[in-house]
């Protein structure tokens, strides 16, 4: 059970773009280009061709390079792409990531959109890798959350995987997670879990707990996964002993790079953090015309 819980993920389309990703690229380019790139049109001949080099200006974990390719190909279907790295690779500062060659106006028109996506996703992957490194040698798995930018969830969760993390639920549809507001509205943990069991089918049921008494109630209700939400580390350790393998255990809330190792050492199966996606700094990547 432990090894399969979070294997259900929505995979990034590596060989073709799905409808949502095509729409994202089209809308992002339309937002930036409007009626046209007036600067390039005023200064560069329409038939000009160039080589553009994409450079890492910091150490990073690469994510989103294939999306950058599709941004340029949307503007110039004949653009040529020469990669020196692939998603998931560790890139040192100063390294050349890839080269694009094609129509100069198209390369300049797509530069900002391509870099925005590449920088953001590589930033997510790099931060996720930092969390994974902190718990190295322990059984704990690093998970993301639903705290993603609207419209970018699939890509951000893909980037988390490129950094070595795993995905929690993709949305409200693929897992039952009974949080504090559900518990209040349903009349308690026991009632909420019992009701979920009658309607959930094969979906696993997770319950958010804040106290040891709530942990005991969730255990008695035979919950599949118990989330320890914003608990002090000493209480987490006590909760793990109390659960004693009868349910999977997830720690969440106030997780940082400085605290994640200590949290993982309590014996929890998973540590989830919204910061992987909502607070990841953009990786420093640039594009230069040769």
């Amino acid at each position: 059970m432990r090894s399969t819980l979070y294997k259900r993920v929505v995979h990034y389309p590596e060989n073709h773009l799905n409808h949502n990703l095509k729409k994202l690229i089209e809308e992002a380019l339309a937002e930036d280009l409007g009626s046209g790139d007036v600067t390039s049109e005023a200064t560069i001949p329409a038939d000009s061709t160039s080589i553009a080099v994409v450079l890492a200006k910091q150490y990073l974990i690469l994510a989103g390079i294939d999306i950058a390719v599709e941004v340029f190909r949307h503007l110039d279907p004949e653009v040529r792409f020469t990669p020196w790295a692939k998603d998931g690779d560790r890139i040192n500062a100063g390294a050349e990531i890839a080269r694009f060659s094609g129509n100069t106006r198209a390369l300049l028109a797509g530069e900002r959109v391509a870099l925005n996506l590449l920088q953001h996703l590589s930033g997510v992957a790099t931060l996720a890798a930092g969390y994974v490194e902190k718990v190295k040698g322990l059984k704990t798995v690093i998970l993301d959350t639903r705290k993603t930018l609207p419209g970018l969830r699939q890509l951000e969760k893909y980037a988390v995987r490129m950094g070595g993390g795993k995905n929690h639920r993709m949305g409200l549809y693929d897992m039952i997670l009974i949080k504090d507001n559900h518990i209040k509205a349903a009349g308690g943990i026991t009632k909420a879990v019992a009701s979920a069991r009658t309607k959930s089918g094969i979906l696993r049921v997770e319950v958010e707990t804040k106290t040891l008494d709530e942990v005991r109630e969730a255990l008695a209700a035979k919950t599949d996964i118990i989330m320890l939400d914003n608990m002090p580390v000493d209480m987490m350790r006590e909760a793990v002993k109390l659960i004693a393998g009868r349910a999977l255990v997830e720690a969440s809330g106030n997780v940082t790079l400085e605290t994640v190792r200590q949290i993982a050492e309590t014996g929890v199966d998973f540590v989830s953090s919204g910061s992987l996606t909502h607070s990841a700094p953009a990786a420093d990547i640039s594009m230069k015309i040769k």
Side-chain angles (χ1 to χ4, degrees), residues 49-67:
T49 60
S50 295
I51 295 173
V53 178
V54 179
L55 300 167
K57 300 177 73 175
Q58 66 166 85
Y59 169 81
L60 58 88
I61 306 297
L62 187 63
I65 189 63
D66 291 332
I67 301 169

Side-chain angles (χ1 to χ4, degrees), residues 194-254:
S195 179
R197 290 293 187 200
T198 65
K199 302 169 185 176
S200 65
I202 64 171
L203 294 179
R204 292 180 184 266
V205 177
E206 179 170 6
V207 172
E208 178 184 274
T209 63
K210 298 182 183 297
T211 67
L212 293 178
D213 283 342
E214 289 180 345
V215 170
R216 292 186 183 95
E217 186 176 358
L219 271 175
K222 300 189 183 303
T223 303
D224 298 311
I225 312 139
I226 297 176
M227 178 191 292
L228 311 180
D229 184 49
N230 284 292
M231 283 188 183
V233 170
D234 288 345
M235 188 184 292
M236 282 187 195
R237 192 175 293 110
E238 194 171 344
V240 170
K241 290 180 180 178
L242 179 64
I243 294 166
R246 289 176 286 172
L248 292 165
V249 187
E250 174 187 340
S252 187
N254 292 319

Side-chain angles (χ1 to χ4, degrees), residues 40-150:
S40 293
E41 290 171 6
T43 59
I44 298 169
D47 61 353
S48 171
T49 60
S50 295
I51 295 173
V53 178
V54 179
L55 300 167
K57 300 177 73 175
Q58 66 166 85
Y59 169 81
L60 58 88
I61 306 297
L62 187 63
I65 189 63
D66 291 332
I67 301 169
V69 174
E70 296 303 330
V71 170
F72 291 118
R73 285 182 176 162
H74 185 82
L75 297 166
D76 176 10
E78 302 303 318
V79 73
R80 292 183 297 280
F81 170 54
T82 304
W84 306 122
K86 63 182 184 302
D87 283 356
D89 283 354
R90 298 172 183 269
I91 311 296
N92 290 321
E96 184 176 321
I97 296 171
R99 289 190 177 203
F100 294 93
S101 57
N103 181 271
T104 307
R105 287 186 180 180
L107 292 174
L108 293 175
E111 175 185 3
R112 188 70 269 149
V113 170
L115 287 181
N116 282 351
L117 290 168
L118 188 59
Q119 289 175 317
H120 176 57
L121 297 179
S122 295
V124 170
T126 304
L127 183 59
Y131 275 83
V132 171
E133 182 64 26
K134 288 288 187 180
V135 300
K136 189 174 181 179
L138 302 175
K139 71 172 184 177
T140 306
V141 174
I142 298 297
L143 300 176
D144 55 23
T145 71
R146 288 167 48 239
K147 294 179 181 178
T148 57
L149 290 172

Side-chain angles (χ1 to χ4, degrees), residues 171-201:
L172 296 173
Y173 54 86
D174 61 340
M175 182 179 175
I176 292 180
L177 175 45
I178 301 170
K179 299 174 74 70
D180 55 352
N181 285 330
H182 299 103
I183 292 167
K184 289 179 182 177
I189 289 174
T190 303
K191 287 184 178 180
V193 173
S195 179
R197 290 293 187 200
T198 65
K199 302 169 185 176
S200 65

Side-chain angles (χ1 to χ4, degrees), residues 154-166:
Q154 183 178 2
L155 296 183
E156 289 181 343
K157 283 180 172 281
Y158 165 76
V160 168
R161 298 199 304 274
M162 291 301 98
K166 302 294 182 184

